[in-house]
Amino acid sequence: MGTWHAININSNALADHLSQGDSLLDVDDDGYTARNEYGISSQDDCDDTNPAVNAGADEICDNGIDDNCDGYIDEGCTPVIAIGEQTWMLKNLDVEKYRDGTEIPEVKDLTAWLNLRTGAWCY
């Protein structure tokens, strides 16, 4: 088994060291390294204390974390809402007609809303 030791090198020499098998410190051992104080990294890891967060990770929706280190939180996620025991994509709830083409009525009156026995929509 090989041994390792830390060295300080000039940023201009980084490419040569990396091409010879040297690597930057990977604190969370996920195969990605954080940028050092000079902005140098062999693989971007925006949180080198969490192995689930790195440039190769998938974005996890609604966790408030930039999982894939691209500078965006929860990008590409489709907002969802739970209604009873079901989870719906919000975009599927933004409709004006039923599947058969019948319009879904807007009901503005609270009493009428509370007495509904059919589908309707309101703000």
Side-chain angles (χ1 to χ4, degrees):
M1 178 183 284
T3 59
W4 66 272
H5 63 278
I7 60 171
N8 290 319
I9 61 168
N10 182 298
S11 61
N12 294 331
L14 178 64
D16 289 337
H17 280 271
L18 294 176
S19 71
Q20 295 173 28
D22 292 346
S23 62
L24 299 175
L25 185 61
D26 180 10
V27 175
D28 60 13
D29 201 31
D30 62 357
Y32 295 83
T33 57
R35 290 191 177 275
N36 65 19
E37 63 269 25
Y38 305 106
I40 298 170
S41 170
S42 61
Q43 297 269 351
D44 277 342
D45 192 337
C46 55
D47 182 353
D48 208 24
T49 63
N50 183 345
V53 175
N54 58 62
D58 292 326
E59 192 68 38
I60 298 172
C61 295
D62 299 322
N63 68 354
I65 298 172
D66 178 14
D67 302 286
N68 58 8
C69 299
D70 66 354
Y72 300 99
I73 295 174
D74 296 339
E75 80 279 356
C77 295
T78 301
V80 296
I81 187 170
I83 300 174
E85 299 291 318
Q86 297 178 330
T87 301
W88 294 83
M89 290 189 289
L90 285 178
K91 68 180 182 180
N92 287 348
L93 297 175
D94 187 16
V95 296
E96 298 173 358
K97 297 180 181 183
Y98 290 106
R99 246 189 269 184
D100 67 0
T102 307
E103 284 201 28
I104 302 172
E106 177 183 10
V107 176
K108 296 180 181 180
D109 180 73
L110 179 60
T111 303
W113 181 264
L114 293 173
N115 292 315
L116 278 174
R117 297 291 175 252
T118 62
W121 68 272
C122 70
Y123 288 109

